[in-house]
């Protein structure tokens, strides 16, 4: 049985959504955010105190995009994977990790310096700068890619790459830094959010941003 430690709408939403898309049995352990402070016993399971944390037998994983890749490929090819040798394999891997490294990273600094730090430690200018960084990366990457009318990022179908990128859009909407999105990006978000597995993942976590 796969076990996923999760905070509502945190990065762990990526593997949760993947589990629902793949129909894999799993146990979900919901934690308050940030768990390293609000659930100290969690540090005995994951000394980093970070979310997500996936347990699969002897396997332990903490990186959200890597977990999506793992789930998509652990039992061979799945609907979420693109096989080595496929012309879109490199693009699949690139978008899978682009969603985290390029799109989610600057948003974590917006989140920190607008919302999570005590009032006296907040840095509005830094938060605004990283919000602009996110939107430039979104415009020059995702918006350009979708401008040709494609429905999904690679292979002509929904894959784990879409889960990774769409989570970055979910976070952006929550942080209210989505006002400058191009129409292809908004339409892409709507397609992702309309998927039944997305709705199931949102329902099973029973909460909003980080719980």
């Amino acid at each position: 049985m796969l076990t996923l430690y999760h905070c509502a709408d945190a990065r762990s939403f990526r593997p949760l959504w993947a589990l629902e898309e793949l129909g894999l049995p799993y146990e979900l352990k919901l934690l308050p955010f940030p768990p390293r402070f609000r659930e100290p016993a969690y540090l005995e399971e994951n000394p980093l105190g970070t979310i997500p944390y996936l347990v699969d037998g002897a396997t332990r994983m903490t990186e959200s995009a890597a977990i999506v890749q793992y789930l998509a490929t652990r039992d061979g090819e799945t609907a979420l994977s693109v096989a080595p040798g496929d012309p879109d394999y490199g693009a699949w891997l690139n978008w899978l990790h682009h969603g985290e490294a390029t799109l989610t990273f600057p948003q974590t600094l917006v989140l920190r310096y607008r919302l999570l730090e005590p009032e006296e430690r907040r840095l509005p200018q830094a938060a605004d700068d990283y919000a602009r960084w996110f939107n430039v990366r979104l415009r020059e990457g995702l918006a350009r890619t979708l401008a040709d009318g494609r429905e999904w990022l690679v292979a002509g179908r929904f894959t784990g790459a879409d889960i990774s990128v769409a989570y970055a859009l979910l976070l952006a909407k929550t942080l209210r830094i989505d006002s400058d999105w191009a129409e292809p990006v908004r339409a892409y978000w709507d397609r992702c959010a309309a998927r039944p597995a997305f709705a199931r993942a949102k329902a099973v976590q029973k909460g909003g941003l980080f719980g």
Side-chain angles (χ1 to χ4, degrees):
M1 175 71 73
L2 294 155
T3 300
L4 177 65
Y5 291 81
H6 171 59
C7 296
D9 281 359
R11 284 176 168 105
S12 46
F13 190 81
R14 285 188 178 113
L16 177 59
W17 185 359
L19 287 164
E20 289 292 341
E21 289 281 354
L22 293 167
L24 295 172
Y26 65 92
E27 179 183 7
L28 186 66
K29 292 186 178 290
L30 284 163
L31 299 172
F33 184 86
R36 68 170 62 86
F37 299 120
R38 297 182 61 194
E39 194 73 38
Y42 175 56
L43 294 172
E44 298 176 12
E45 184 67 40
N46 174 15
L48 290 175
T50 55
I51 289 294
Y53 188 63
L54 182 79
V55 178
D56 183 17
T59 298
R60 303 288 189 274
M61 299 183 71
T62 60
E63 295 296 330
S64 64
I67 295 171
V68 172
Q69 183 177 349
Y70 175 75
L71 294 173
T73 59
R74 69 192 275 271
D75 297 320
E77 294 182 31
T78 68
L80 295 183
S81 67
V82 174
D86 186 291
D88 274 359
Y89 178 63
W92 178 68
L93 288 175
N94 196 69
W95 281 112
L96 185 67
H97 296 285
H98 179 93
E100 172 62 21
T102 299
L103 296 180
T104 303
F105 165 70
Q107 294 188 84
T108 63
L109 296 172
V110 176
L111 176 68
R112 176 177 178 179
Y113 289 117
R114 277 190 186 169
L115 300 176
L116 297 184
E117 288 285 353
E119 190 72 37
E120 67 276 9
R121 287 179 51 84
R122 293 181 185 178
L123 300 173
Q125 183 63 60
D128 290 347
D129 287 347
Y130 279 105
R132 282 192 291 271
W133 178 13
F134 163 76
N135 278 301
V136 169
R137 297 298 186 270
L138 194 71
R139 182 176 67 246
E140 297 303 323
L142 184 62
R144 284 180 179 269
T145 297
L146 296 173
D148 64 4
R150 73 179 66 191
E151 188 174 14
W152 306 113
L153 290 174
V154 299
R157 58 185 172 83
F158 182 87
T159 70
D162 296 294
I163 289 177
S164 181
V165 170
Y167 172 73
L169 301 183
L170 170 63
L171 182 56
K173 288 185 71 66
T174 304
L175 293 173
R176 298 181 180 179
I177 56 173
D178 62 326
S179 60
D180 295 331
W181 288 2
E183 181 54 35
V185 174
R186 293 193 181 281
Y188 172 73
W189 162 252
D190 289 343
R191 287 193 295 276
C192 291
R195 293 186 67 81
F198 178 92
R200 291 195 298 271
K202 289 288 283 185
V204 77
Q205 71 174 12
K206 298 184 179 66
L209 180 67
F210 304 154

